Amino acid sequence: MNNDKMEKIVSLCKRRGFVFQGSEIYGGLAGVFDYGPNGVELLNNIKKAWWKANVYDKENYFGLDSGMFKHPRVWEASGHTSGFSDPLAECRECNTRIRVDKELEKVGVTADEKMTEEEINRLFDEQRDKIVCPKCGKKNFSPARAFNLLVKSNLGDFTSEGAEPVYLPGEACQGIYLNYKNILDSMSPKLPFGIVQIGKAFRNEISPRNFLFRTREMEQADTQLFVKPNENKDAYEAVKQERFNWYLSIGIKEENLKWKQHENLVFYASDAWDIMYNFPALGFDELEGVHDRTNYDLTQHMEYSGIDLRYTDPETGEKYIPWILETSVGLGRLFLAVISDAYHEEEMDGSTRVVLKLHKDLAPYKVAVSPLLKNKPELVAKAREVFTVLKKEFGNVAWDDNGNIGKRYRRQDEIGTPSCIVIDFDTLGEEQPELKDTVTVRDRDTGKQERVTIANLVGYLK
Ligand code: GAP
């Protein structure tokens, strides 16, 4: 059923202009997706809601938009050139690549991120008879080797000979650490303060899969809270609670969310919890990471850059490197969770409808406007009048005159439009003058219709 739901969501996303496979006309590019007209609206509304919660609703959080390319030393200092890898093995029969830690997980064996190639291979060898190639079903694999996930670029490398590679960001948050001193100097914040960014990240994932869940190009929405050393524990709990509550505030159902603590910590973290979402086809899996990164990042960048990144305590004059509490969510995963949570199939008016019951602030369109018949100029003219007024007020208003009214309602249900307005002969007051200048407003979730005067429409929709 859950698998089936994922297929239905992928199909809906294409059919209704939310998400398309990247480079589709060339056969597609694995792990890359494009957001269509309705998708980009939903994505932007998710970003707006996230930004509001993490910048505007706070006092001491600062926004940032850092450049994607960074000095090559950044990825050495961060530990990504040496430690950012997944164990990869290749099927000797059909060349399919597998992620050995994920395959071990499926047979109940946990592979620690800190394990050496040798240690992983020992576990792999013990379990080889249980691990089959997902493509050809054979069990003939090469040994596992550490496969670095950073994506290399040749920025400014016009000779290709011995030039140091520049990488695309493996995680968006490094831009925050690089600008921490600039923000200290320009904004003079006092601890604790946060820096917030939505940025792109790229990973050479061995097996991108499950639609937007595991992609090679992604956007991460990150907050980094800088706190005094040893004042991390309470702040960490508060950050965790706040992030969980935010998902509830955008309409995600509580039963589809839960916490999981990391058993195996990545190289920079002293504690790490994931907010898990009950994804279609996957079940509960990581949606957002909340990490206590200690003073690792700033210590590393201070050492590699030679620049003093310590904070001077305004009260005691003491100098120290703040600790960092990070929250990081991939927007593709969040988009998938939002659509999955909003997706409903239900009976209405004698047939089954698909409806996205999106939170009204997230829906691509606030409202759709339709003339009952598109070949009646007087209806179209009146509908355009209403459309123009609403568009000026709300911006994201759809004009829909395609097919009969029933089809238009079904289409708008699938896009998640909260209200549909129909301009009909009563609006013109031809038979019942008392209904002149009233329209039908139909509610997405209940299907209920109400007559509202055009003069009151903006207030009613607000
Ligand atoms: N700066 C911390 C960091 O990058 P992460 O756990 O590797 O930590 C944070 O990633 C979030 O980014 C994840 O919780 C997930 O939502 C998203 N993410 C990571 N890899 C992803 C991928 N290949 N495709 C889509 N989203 C991904």
Side-chain angles (χ1 to χ4, degrees):
M1 170 58 201
N2 223 4
N3 254 332
D4 192 37
K5 182 172 175 186
M6 182 67 125
E7 277 169 30
K8 286 176 177 171
I9 286 174
V10 174
S11 155
L12 171 82
C13 281
K14 183 167 161 65
R15 183 167 78 247
R16 293 296 174 213
F18 281 97
V19 181
F20 310 121
Q21 176 66 59
S23 309
E24 192 178 337
I25 62 169
Y26 286 94
L29 185 65
V32 181
F33 291 91
D34 298 336
Y35 291 87
N38 290 325
V40 74
E41 293 300 332
L42 174 54
L43 185 65
N44 283 342
N45 290 340
I46 292 173
K47 287 186 199 176
K48 271 188 228 158
W50 184 90
W51 195 265
K52 178 177 178 304
N54 290 293
V55 182
Y56 303 149
D57 290 352
K58 306 220 168 148
E59 274 186 33
N60 51 345
Y61 276 63
F62 302 89
L64 179 75
D65 188 358
S66 65
M68 260 198 279
F69 288 113
K70 292 169 175 69
H71 193 284
R73 294 271 284 163
V74 169
W75 302 108
E76 277 174 50
S78 69
H80 283 76
T81 46
S82 56
F84 189 50
S85 58
D86 284 334
L88 169 147
E90 211 163 85
C91 172
R92 289 190 171 116
E93 308 289 334
C94 70
N95 301 329
T96 296
R97 290 165 158 198
I98 58 161
R99 240 182 94 171
V100 175
D101 56 334
K102 292 283 167 200
E103 296 302 321
L104 286 170
E105 217 172 273
K106 285 185 200 158
V107 299
V109 177
T110 307
D112 192 316
E113 299 225 13
K114 289 177 186 147
M115 281 180 175
T116 61
E117 262 180 25
E118 206 178 8
E119 286 167 320
I120 293 249
N121 272 310
R122 189 180 48 73
L123 290 180
F124 189 30
D125 288 343
E126 284 167 12
Q127 305 296 331
R128 270 177 187 263
D129 58 323
K130 295 191 200 138
I131 297 176
V132 295
C133 172
K135 191 162 173 207
C136 69
K138 305 248 169 66
K139 297 178 181 171
N140 185 10
F141 292 104
S142 68
R145 69 181 163 89
F147 178 76
N148 192 284
L149 300 183
L150 283 178
V151 177
K152 261 186 210 164
S153 147
N154 66 345
L155 180 80
D157 169 16
F158 302 110
T159 62
S160 296
E161 288 295 324
E164 230 179 333
V166 174
Y167 297 98
L168 293 175
E171 57 174 2
C173 61
Q174 290 299 324
I176 294 182
Y177 312 139
L178 299 185
N179 283 286
Y180 148 85
K181 187 173 178 330
N182 285 331
I183 288 179
L184 268 189
D185 294 346
S186 59
M187 310 301 288
S188 313
K190 309 261 178 308
L191 289 182
F193 68 90
I195 306 181
V196 168
Q197 175 177 245
I198 295 176
K200 286 254 181 185
F202 300 80
R203 295 182 185 179
N204 251 328
E205 293 286 352
I206 294 165
S207 43
R209 61 182 53 166
N210 292 314
F211 192 37
L212 300 171
F213 182 81
R214 192 172 301 288
T215 53
R216 287 184 170 137
E217 174 178 344
M218 74 191 98
E219 241 176 337
Q220 291 178 318
D222 291 339
T223 70
Q224 312 283 324
L225 180 63
F226 296 79
V227 297
K228 279 188 184 174
N230 304 320
E231 289 194 358
N232 54 321
K233 285 274 179 277
D234 288 348
Y236 187 57
E237 286 314 310
V239 167
K240 278 171 59 190
Q241 200 51 53
E242 195 183 290
R243 290 304 304 142
F244 195 90
N245 290 344
W246 182 73
Y247 288 103
L248 304 180
S249 79
I250 59 161
I252 302 281
K253 296 179 199 78
E254 190 160 3
E255 70 259 28
N256 285 330
L257 293 168
K258 68 178 182 189
W259 282 107
K260 186 182 170 200
Q261 187 172 22
H262 284 214
E263 282 173 35
N264 311 308
L265 292 168
V266 284
F267 52 87
Y268 52 72
S270 76
D271 195 4
W273 288 76
D274 289 338
I275 298 176
M276 315 274 280
Y277 178 76
N278 189 11
F279 287 99
L282 287 149
F284 279 97
D285 212 323
E286 177 183 347
L287 170 61
E288 165 161 347
V290 184
H291 310 131
D292 184 335
R293 294 183 75 122
T294 68
N295 60 3
Y296 174 84
D297 303 280
L298 291 181
T299 306
Q300 288 291 104
H301 286 304
M302 182 159 146
E303 186 186 324
Y304 277 69
S305 67
I307 300 292
D308 188 354
L309 296 179
R310 287 174 303 166
Y311 173 84
T312 307
D313 194 302
E315 276 152 31
T316 62
E318 195 190 345
K319 283 178 181 281
Y320 47 77
I321 294 180
W323 280 40
I324 294 177
L325 306 176
E326 168 183 70
T327 74
S328 181
V329 54
L331 289 176
R333 277 190 199 182
L334 178 49
F335 186 101
L336 178 57
V338 164
I339 289 220
S340 173
D341 224 72
Y343 184 96
H344 290 81
E345 284 176 19
E346 58 189 28
E347 293 300 306
M348 187 175 268
D349 304 331
S351 63
T352 307
R353 70 164 183 163
V354 170
V355 54
L356 290 188
K357 294 186 179 177
L358 294 167
H359 188 293
K360 289 180 186 176
D361 292 345
L362 302 187
Y365 293 107
K366 180 111 191 135
V367 54
V369 178
S370 288
L372 180 67
L373 300 169
K374 70 173 172 187
N375 57 0
K376 293 284 175 205
E378 60 277 33
L379 289 179
V380 173
K382 194 74 193 168
R384 291 225 61 101
E385 253 178 52
V386 173
F387 176 69
T388 307
V389 169
L390 295 183
K391 210 161 163 52
K392 211 166 174 185
E393 184 66 34
F394 299 116
N396 52 345
V397 177
W399 172 263
D400 195 347
D401 61 4
N402 206 357
N404 64 36
I405 286 294
K407 283 202 175 127
R408 293 180 210 167
Y409 285 159
R410 290 290 184 266
R411 178 166 44 246
Q412 295 303 329
D413 284 347
E414 289 196 358
I415 294 170
T417 309
S419 305
C420 287
I421 290 174
V422 177
I423 283 72
D424 55 20
F425 290 106
D426 283 338
T427 314
L428 305 178
E430 285 178 356
E431 287 184 6
Q432 291 172 276
E434 70 278 13
L435 291 181
K436 190 169 175 354
D437 285 333
T438 64
V439 296
T440 302
V441 183
R442 184 242 189 204
D443 179 78
R444 173 195 71 196
D445 296 344
T446 61
K448 275 218 275 206
Q449 300 186 10
E450 274 190 68
R451 229 42 227 179
V452 179
T453 60
I454 292 174
N456 286 335
L457 207 45
V458 168
Y460 177 89
L461 292 169
K462 275 185 173 169

